[in-house]
Amino acid sequence: NSDLRKLAVNLIPFPRLHFFNVSFAPLEDAGNAAFTGKGAKEITEAVFDPKQMFMAPDVREGKYLTAAVTFRGPFGAKEVDEHMLNMQMKNSAYFVEWIPNNIKSSMCNVPNNGFSGNAVFVGNSTAMKLLNTRILDQFSKLYGVKAYLHWYTGEGMDEMEFQEAESNVTDLVAEYTQYEEG
């Protein structure tokens, strides 16, 4: 009930804000998997857990613009929808209010190999501005002392391209901040 085109359209509300964070659940040792039966509730909670995200910034430092979760395994649609709604209601402070229905869920009856059931999360969070801010700070320090600049200018790049890139990332951080505040 989902394809990549629909996923991309639903997850990118603004063209420049197309950086995703990803999560997978359950993340556990294969030896323990047989002993821990994971239902839709546990997998939904795990996939939204900030400790399970595959990105450096803490998603609790921003808000989700959009999110999509694909469940794989023998889950009931009603059960999945119920747990997704509960998760959004319980964590409403971490979702922007001005995009209604900003969580999408889809299901596939066949679980990944080695799992009885699992989920993949893809979210578009304003916490990505923290990553871009950190990169911008590191870039500014290096560019301020012209470190490694000669390698790039020697290959034909102009110094103005570095200033333009810095300006673009600064604008991106400002745009994430603007949409987080609504």
Side-chain angles (χ1 to χ4, degrees), residues 102-150:
N102 56 353
I103 290 187
K104 178 177 176 40
S105 63
S106 58
M107 295 174 50
C108 174
N109 293 336
V110 181
N112 284 8
N113 191 21
F115 292 92
S116 59
N118 60 294
V120 175
F121 170 90
V122 180
N124 192 343
S125 173
T126 60
M128 203 57 77
K129 71 180 178 184
L130 301 173
L131 178 67
N132 289 315
T133 301
R134 189 176 75 220
I135 290 170
L136 195 58
D137 290 343
Q138 292 169 345
F139 170 81
S140 296
K141 289 176 186 173
L142 289 172
Y143 186 70
V145 295
K146 308 288 188 211
Y148 307 106
L149 189 62
H150 65 283

Side-chain angles (χ1 to χ4, degrees), residues 2-175:
S2 181
D3 65 22
L4 291 176
R5 186 177 304 122
K6 286 180 188 174
L7 193 62
V9 167
N10 289 329
L11 287 175
I12 305 172
F14 303 100
R16 288 176 45 114
L17 308 182
H18 59 267
F19 302 98
F20 300 135
N21 56 310
V22 179
S23 173
F24 179 86
L27 279 179
E28 59 190 4
D29 180 31
N32 291 339
F35 303 109
T36 57
K38 301 282 186 188
K41 182 179 191 286
E42 293 83 12
I43 288 179
T44 304
E45 289 172 356
V47 83
F48 276 95
D49 187 354
K51 293 179 290 227
Q52 302 241 125
M53 297 291 170
F54 299 159
M55 67 182 259
D58 189 348
V59 292
R60 294 172 291 198
E61 298 289 326
K63 291 186 176 186
Y64 286 110
L65 298 171
T66 56
V69 181
T70 301
F71 289 86
R72 296 193 61 176
F75 302 112
K78 182 180 178 203
E79 180 186 23
V80 166
D81 289 342
E82 182 180 301
H83 293 302
M84 291 291 288
L85 182 62
N86 286 342
M87 183 58 64
Q88 189 174 13
M89 294 302 191
K90 192 167 58 172
N91 298 302
S92 62
Y94 298 115
F95 292 91
V96 294
E97 304 86 31
W98 51 270
I99 300 179
N101 304 319
N102 56 353
I103 290 187
K104 178 177 176 40
S105 63
S106 58
M107 295 174 50
C108 174
N109 293 336
V110 181
N112 284 8
N113 191 21
F115 292 92
S116 59
N118 60 294
V120 175
F121 170 90
V122 180
N124 192 343
S125 173
T126 60
M128 203 57 77
K129 71 180 178 184
L130 301 173
L131 178 67
N132 289 315
T133 301
R134 189 176 75 220
I135 290 170
L136 195 58
D137 290 343
Q138 292 169 345
F139 170 81
S140 296
K141 289 176 186 173
L142 289 172
Y143 186 70
V145 295
K146 308 288 188 211
Y148 307 106
L149 189 62
H150 65 283
W151 291 109
Y152 296 97
T153 55
E155 292 292 325
M157 282 186 73
D158 186 22
E159 248 186 88
M160 286 299 295
E161 292 178 81
F162 290 98
Q163 294 167 0
E164 184 180 335
E166 183 178 28
S167 174
N168 286 341
V169 175
T170 302
D171 292 345
L172 185 64
V173 169
E175 198 168 338

